[in-house]
Amino acid sequence: MLNIVLFGPPGAGKGTQSAKLAERYGLVHLSTGDIFRQHIREKTPLGLEAKGYTDKGDLVPDELTIRLLESEVKRYPTARGFIFDGFPRTSAQAIALDACLAGMGSSISCMVALEAHDDELRRRIVRRAESSGRPDDARPEVVQNRIAVYHRDTAPVADFYRAAGKYKGVDGIGEVEEIFKRLCTVIDQVKTV
Ligand code: AMP
């Protein structure tokens, strides 16, 4: 299997690039943010619980998020691999993801991290808010909180993969196609080792 964590701060372009990578490599794209938004739209019990957190830009608690991710992975027993977009966002989630994949006799192939400065992220999210319809993109204080939560809780997750020799940083500034090429170059190297 080829299992990739596409990592990066909010606004780095994870969703766009994950969709393109999933198509290129024949992977299942799992975005916890997209799954939460679908539950929120459908007003499921999970959606109602998650909304209190996503509206503020806070992380949904690990227990809920991990359970959701595990059940999503189990929906694709014959997958060639996964691209995890927006997960893991805490150390507990990274440990749970390893255990989940180990249960399938597999593991994370690499974490590819899109790197961009906070000012650029804020600019992109403001632009995205015009078309995304995401309430968490439209309010500057929520955007600021998401960036702060990323630095506090999520950025340390990279160390987990660095320690395992699985971290690959990629410049996240530029045109979509240009960044996509950089990501593919990194992933092609991982695939051939
Ligand atoms: P995203 O679309 O990845 O930016 O996620 C949107 C929101 O969903 C985040 O601000 C969190 O509130 C929630 N969320 C998504 N993924 C996770 C995760 N792995 N852990 C906790 N909360 C998450």
Side-chain angles (χ1 to χ4, degrees):
M1 285 177 96
L2 177 66
N3 295 310
I4 296 165
V5 173
L6 189 60
F7 194 69
K14 297 189 295 294
T16 305
Q17 296 294 344
S18 293
K20 289 171 71 66
L21 292 170
E23 198 185 335
R24 158 75 65 102
Y25 294 101
L27 307 176
V28 174
H29 174 196
L30 289 185
S31 156
T32 40
D34 283 351
I35 299 165
F36 281 133
R37 278 185 287 280
Q38 192 180 339
H39 278 274
I40 291 168
R41 271 196 304 275
E42 293 171 0
K43 297 194 169 60
T44 67
L46 173 69
L48 294 175
E49 195 167 349
K51 188 171 165 29
Y53 300 95
T54 60
D55 276 356
K56 287 189 265 177
D58 289 332
L59 294 184
V60 178
D62 279 339
E63 199 209 318
L64 208 66
T65 308
I66 290 169
R67 223 183 321 128
L68 173 75
L69 192 277
E70 285 170 348
S71 70
E72 285 292 321
V73 166
K74 287 202 183 100
R75 288 178 55 204
Y76 303 95
T78 59
R80 288 168 62 180
F82 292 91
I83 176 143
F84 298 99
D85 161 10
F87 187 99
R89 264 174 152 103
T90 63
S91 306
Q93 292 180 15
I95 292 164
L97 180 59
D98 264 9
C100 175
L101 293 174
M104 302 165 71
S106 193
S107 61
I108 287 296
S109 313
C110 71
M111 163 183 271
V112 197
L114 288 169
E115 295 164 347
H117 296 297
D118 289 359
D119 288 346
E120 172 69 14
L121 300 171
R122 272 189 283 268
R123 267 196 298 275
R124 287 189 191 181
I125 293 174
V126 166
R127 229 181 301 140
R128 186 171 77 180
E130 291 166 15
S131 59
S132 71
R134 284 178 54 166
D136 60 344
D137 280 350
R139 292 173 43 209
E141 70 277 19
V142 174
V143 171
Q144 189 49 44
N145 187 42
R146 284 159 63 203
I147 294 174
V149 166
Y150 169 79
H151 287 299
R152 191 189 62 213
D153 297 331
T154 303
V157 174
D159 295 335
F160 181 87
Y161 293 92
R162 243 186 227 112
K166 292 183 177 178
Y167 178 93
K168 313 275 174 202
V170 168
D171 180 4
I173 305 291
E175 296 298 320
V176 169
E177 286 306 323
E178 204 181 324
I179 299 167
F180 180 59
K181 268 196 209 139
R182 290 178 202 146
L183 292 169
C184 291
T185 303
V186 167
I187 293 168
D188 288 342
Q189 279 166 4
V190 169
K191 272 183 73 180
T192 53
V193 291

